[in-house]
Amino acid sequence: MRAVDIWLQQTDDFILQSLHPCPEVSPPSFLPQLRQTLKRIKQDPYPSVSIFGSNQPRLYRKDDITGQWVRYNKEPEGWGSPAVSAPQQHNFKQEPIPSWPPLPVQSQ
């Protein structure tokens, strides 16, 4: 018996107490989504073979009308093309790295 089978046999209360950081305020969708995820893990125990067998990423886009994520089978224009313009600049907040006091050296 695999670990995922053991988790799927547990009661909702046990799963909630074991896998949710704050079971008292878990949303109603937590347990059904978790059980669905565990079933998917059971269905595809080796995702590198069963899902990503071609060694290619799975691309998704968010549908403008429904707001749902849908599979996108065509590479967006410019991906993998050597003629792509300069990479997009990202502005990340730079925070100073704290300086730590030196550790005392213990003589033997």
Side-chain angles (χ1 to χ4, degrees), residues 85-107:
S85 60
Q88 186 178 13
Q89 293 292 322
H90 297 285
N91 294 320
F92 293 104
K93 181 180 176 185
Q94 295 288 330
E95 295 192 15
I97 299 172
S99 59
W100 297 95
L103 295 173
V105 179
Q106 295 179 354
S107 58

Side-chain angles (χ1 to χ4, degrees), residues 22-43:
C22 190
E24 297 82 17
V25 294
S26 69
S29 62
F30 177 77
L31 283 167
Q33 285 179 340
L34 180 61
R35 287 194 179 275
Q36 182 180 5
T37 301
L38 291 169
K39 288 175 185 174
R40 180 61 192 254
I41 291 170
K42 182 178 179 176
Q43 177 187 345

